[in-house]
Every structure is written in C-alpha cells, then in structure tokens.
Amino acid sequence: KNSVGRIFTSYLGDETTFGFGTPCDYIPEQTKQSQPSLFSTHSPKGKLAVSYNHQRYDEDSSGELLSPRDMGTLMHKVFEESATLADAERRIGELAGSGEISDSDAVTLRSNLARAMTNEEVKGWFDGSWEEVFVEREIIANGRFHRPDRVMVRGKEAVVMDYKFGLNQSDKHVEQINLYAKLLRQMGYESVKGYLWYLSIGEVNRVV
C-alpha cells in the first residue's frame, strides 16, 4: 500500500461508488461594483502629430506639406523598386497602405508620376520594353564599387541614370554618369546613354 490509489482500493473493497461530505448549493460572493476613474483626461489635439519616414531627410519638414526634397526622396523610394509604370503605381499604394506616407502624399506622388510620364524619354524607361532593369545594382571595377540608381538594357543598348534631389546640375554628377557609361561600354554594351533626373523639379538632362 505504497500509493494513494492502492490505499483507496483497499479501503473501498468491492464498492463501486463512494460518497464523502454533504452536498450544498454554491452561492458566489456578491460582485463588487466597479468605481469610475477619478483621473482627468486631456485631448491630444495640438500635441501629437504623425511623423512619416520621409521626414527624416528634412528636419525642417512640418508634416503638413511636402518639401521638394521630401518629394524627391519619396519618388526615389517609389522608383527604386519599380521596373515599369505599373510597378510604380503599385508601390505608391503599398507606401500609403503601410502608413509610411499619408493619403494626401500618395495623391501628390501619383500626380507627379503622371506628370513625369508626359516626358517621352521617361515614359519609355517605364514602358516594360526593356529586357532587364537593374536598380541600385553594384558594378565592380578595379576593386571599387559603383552603384548607379537605374540601368536598363536591351540587347547591346544600355541606358543609365541617377536621380538627384538638388535644383542644379553639378560637374560631379556629370562625371559620375560619364563613369557609369564608360563601365557599361567596357561590359560590352555598344549603345550607351546617360541621364540625370532631378526629381525635385522634374527635369531630365542627358549627359551621354
């Protein structure tokens, strides 16, 4: 009899039922009434504001209107994952859906995208006719890494571009595109064009 089970079995013998104690109705304790909170509350209006990711590029951004720099940054964010116009439109929807941009920003982006596509050169970059589109893909040459914003290839033809946020073309930007074009020729592309796209002002400049 070294277990509780065996002790019970020995005690009960052949009995099939066993009762202990006296049944009674359960009466639960009376539930206490909850007391209203005495803490005062205050409206957050005027004290809280939504901060979107793109504003980290521009400390002066108030969040109410997009600065040209903000808009350029967001357009770059759209294009960096877009091979075609349909991709860009979908990307804007994703940014708005995830809360990274506001609905009004999305409307502005779509308007700017439509305006950009009125340029026949730009429209041709996003029409889906390119065999491959490389976005921020590194080119390694002489032990150094070069990363153009966008390269489009079709047969022996290649177009390289960089997006810029500033308002003016600089010699440094031109040298950068010339270098990219040189590297693409070394890679075997016979027809190479290079562009600078100033997103903040919607200006496209051909360099090569």
Side-chain angles (χ1 to χ4, degrees), residues 82-84 124-135 137 150-155 157-160 184 187 189:
S82 304
T84 66
W125 296 338
F126 293 88
D127 64 2
S129 65
W130 298 92
E131 293 175 3
E132 290 186 273
V133 177
F134 302 100
V135 180
R137 188 74 60 86
R150 185 181 180 93
V151 176
M152 297 156 286
V153 299
R154 183 168 47 209
E157 177 187 5
V159 172
V160 59
L184 288 169
M187 294 167 64
Y189 294 101

Side-chain angles (χ1 to χ4, degrees), residues 77-97:
K77 193 175 185 67
V78 170
F79 289 137
E80 69 184 4
E81 297 184 18
S82 304
T84 66
L85 176 59
D87 292 337
E89 293 172 340
R90 173 186 51 77
R91 182 62 180 145
I92 294 174
E94 290 174 350
L95 291 172

Side-chain angles (χ1 to χ4, degrees), residues 63-83:
E64 298 178 357
L65 294 174
L66 283 173
S67 70
R69 182 178 178 83
D70 283 336
M71 182 53 63
T73 301
L74 288 178
M75 291 292 284
H76 190 290
K77 193 175 185 67
V78 170
F79 289 137
E80 69 184 4
E81 297 184 18
S82 304

Side-chain angles (χ1 to χ4, degrees), residues 5 11 17 20 39 49 55 57 68 84 89 94 98 106 109 111 120 123 125 129 133 151-152 171 180 182-183 198 202:
Y11 179 79
T17 60
F20 179 82
F39 292 105
Q55 292 173 3
Y57 295 98
T84 66
E89 293 172 340
E94 290 174 350
S98 67
L109 280 174
S111 176
E120 290 301 317
K123 185 177 180 180
W125 296 338
S129 65
V133 177
V151 176
M152 297 156 286
D171 292 339
Y180 294 155
K182 178 182 177 181
L183 294 174
Y198 291 87

Side-chain angles (χ1 to χ4, degrees), residues 4 7-23:
V4 174
I7 293 174
F8 272 110
T9 302
S10 174
Y11 179 79
L12 294 174
D14 296 331
E15 294 291 335
T16 57
T17 60
F18 177 74
F20 179 82
T22 302

Side-chain angles (χ1 to χ4, degrees), residues 139-144 146 156 158 177-192:
I139 300 174
I140 305 174
N142 301 319
R144 300 186 64 182
H146 308 274
K156 293 295 183 179
I177 292 296
N178 279 321
L179 175 58
Y180 294 155
K182 178 182 177 181
L183 294 174
L184 288 169
R185 292 191 192 96
Q186 292 174 355
M187 294 167 64
Y189 294 101
E190 297 172 358
S191 174
V192 179

